[in-house]
Amino acid sequence: MKAKMIKGITSQILFVLTLAVMVSAQEKPGQKADKADAPPPPQQVSTGKEYLGPTADSIRPYRSSGRDPFKKTVKPKTQRGKQQQSRVLGFPALDVRRAEFRQKVEQARARDGAEPDPVSQYLVAELDITGVFRDDRGFGAFVRAQPTGTMFFVRNGARCYNGEVLRIGGDASDPGAAKVMFREVSYQEVNGKQSQQERMVTKAPAEKK
């Protein structure tokens, strides 16, 4: 009798243990740990309105800067890595040049020397050719100084303030062939250093340049 009771109790205990194992097997491993470690979901505050995106006032339109952001601007440089800066140097005003001329005249008279040519007071650009002539000494030209209206006659080699007469030519049968060629000098300053520039200027009678 006791043996039957013990056998029945043992069967019940085995049945309970089997059910416990089956229930435990149905749960996924790590499920409780994942739920414990996961952060709480963010609380959403309901305003009663549906969110439709940013408002028009908060949107700033794109404005182009007008230049290619991928293009590198390179400044022109000289061989020494410095940008050249040049400027044309002018000449003294006529009053200053005439004062210099009078001083040269006085110095020439003091030593009984030849006085300078009056045309040397004027720039090449201030001289107009009014005519060309020829005599036993060769060709000559009549010139008019624009600032004062004074008339002079010059020959090859005559010097003015910033140049000289190189050649006077013409044809007696063709008045339009008369030409006077000047060598004109100018000065330019490049990075603090002065340099001389020359060019040839050809003028004809009644032609103003």
Side-chain angles (χ1 to χ4, degrees):
M1 184 70 178
K2 290 181 180 181
K4 291 182 179 180
M5 291 178 63
I6 294 171
K7 186 176 180 180
I9 295 171
T10 303
S11 299
Q12 292 178 0
I13 293 173
L14 291 174
F15 178 74
V16 172
L17 292 175
T18 303
L19 289 177
V21 171
M22 291 177 63
V23 172
S24 176
Q26 290 180 357
E27 294 183 0
K28 295 182 180 179
Q31 184 175 4
K32 294 182 179 180
D34 293 342
K35 292 182 179 179
D37 296 338
Q43 297 181 357
Q44 296 182 355
V45 179
S46 177
T47 59
K49 295 183 180 180
E50 183 180 359
Y51 178 71
L52 301 178
T55 61
D57 295 339
S58 64
I59 300 176
R60 296 183 180 180
Y62 171 75
R63 296 180 180 178
S64 175
S65 60
R67 60 181 294 272
D68 188 352
F70 299 99
K71 185 177 181 181
K72 185 178 180 181
T73 304
V74 180
K75 296 182 179 180
K77 296 182 178 180
T78 62
Q79 295 180 355
R80 296 184 179 181
K82 295 182 179 179
Q83 190 173 2
Q84 286 192 352
Q85 297 180 354
S86 61
R87 66 185 182 95
V88 178
L89 301 178
F91 293 97
L94 179 60
D95 293 342
V96 177
R97 287 181 267 139
R98 297 186 73 176
E100 293 177 359
F101 175 75
R102 288 192 294 268
Q103 185 177 4
K104 292 178 180 179
V105 170
E106 293 175 358
Q107 292 175 353
R109 291 176 179 176
R111 60 175 181 266
D112 293 332
E115 296 184 5
D117 192 340
V119 78
S120 64
Q121 306 172 80
Y122 302 96
L123 304 175
V124 173
E126 296 174 340
L127 300 176
D128 292 335
I129 307 300
T130 59
V132 173
F133 66 91
R134 185 174 185 178
D135 56 12
D136 55 352
R137 295 178 55 189
F139 282 102
F142 295 101
V143 298
R144 175 182 176 275
Q146 297 175 12
T148 60
T150 309
M151 298 293 297
F152 306 99
F153 73 90
V154 296
R155 296 186 182 271
N156 292 339
R159 299 188 64 85
C160 49
Y161 196 86
N162 66 329
E164 63 178 327
V165 178
L166 289 182
R167 187 173 64 85
I168 302 174
D171 187 349
S173 61
D174 184 8
K179 301 287 183 181
V180 179
M181 179 180 291
F182 292 86
R183 179 180 66 90
E184 185 181 50
V185 177
S186 61
Y187 296 93
Q188 187 176 14
E189 186 179 88
V190 180
N191 292 337
K193 295 182 179 180
Q194 182 175 318
S195 62
Q196 179 176 307
Q197 308 291 328
E198 293 185 3
R199 69 167 186 157
M200 304 303 160
V201 178
T202 301
K203 295 188 179 187
E207 183 179 357
K208 298 181 179 181
K209 291 186 179 180

